[in-house]
Amino acid sequence: MSECKLSVDYDQYESGVKIVDLIEQLANNDERLQLESLIIGDWGGAYEHDSSEIVAALVRLKDRFPKLRSLFIGDMSYEECEVSWINQSNIGPILAAYPELTSLTIKGSTGLSLDPAQHDKLEELTIICGGLGKDVITSINEGSFNNLKKLELYLGVEEYGFDATLEDVLQLIEPGKFPQLTYLGLKDSEIQDEIAIAVANAPIVDQLHTLDLSMGTLTDEGAEALLNSEKIRKLKHLNLSYHYMSDEMMNRWKQSGLNVDISDQQDSDEDEDYRYPSLTE
């Protein structure tokens, strides 16, 4: 068994089934010895119960999963729980407990923290949410992930938890911060133009093969900075899907010769109040 997903559906939750019991069962199964990827889905009432018991159980049972390399906490559909209603907790102890982990994905940012934000072998860190808090961004910035190759952050909107400034976000792309990084995703943002303008000529672009600025409120303003950047032209892939660019700007991208995804055009109304990132609530 290389991959396993554990979740508690509504009927199980109502009858008293707990996700921790399922983790215990898995830990007592001989197949656990071959488990490489563990996905934690709906743990039942995620809108009122956080993930702290899951974290505690996984830390306590760390020696039962010797081959675990990939972990996803919070893989649930909006029917199960809207992303901004998912209650997380401090995921930092997971990083300390599983030194061989290479991929960590977290969905939901309510109550989320990463302390300590340190791991020598983690290659992928993804946080999917409708609004990422400044404290989490700061933890990642001040942490240590020397082997990180993919950083994908859904930044979201202020209404659902994004309380950082552009400067806070840009600390993540300072030279030398993530020396192995080749995939950078600063996406789903209500300040996507500002991010695009700042990243367009940032030194970190030189080491990337993919830049993902999708799912946000990108308009022609941010797109212009990207299109005019020589650094951007050296990327293998640029993801700008779900955007508010004009037809004219889209045509310019099509003629650019770059491998760029400009699918899912939104209504480019000039009123900024009507521009929303793809994933919020």
Side-chain angles (χ1 to χ4, degrees), residues 89-104:
S89 59
N90 183 17
I91 310 297
I94 293 286
L95 295 172
Y98 291 86
E100 300 298 320
L101 202 67
T102 58
S103 177
L104 176 63

Side-chain angles (χ1 to χ4, degrees), residues 114 117 132-145 153 163-165 167-169 171-172 177-178:
L114 277 176
L132 191 59
K134 176 182 177 179
D135 55 342
V136 179
I137 294 172
T138 299
S139 291
I140 296 170
N141 175 54
E142 296 180 350
S144 176
F145 297 101
L153 302 178
D163 58 357
T165 63
E167 287 68 29
D168 294 325
V169 175
Q171 287 181 346
L172 295 169
K177 182 70 66 178
F178 303 112

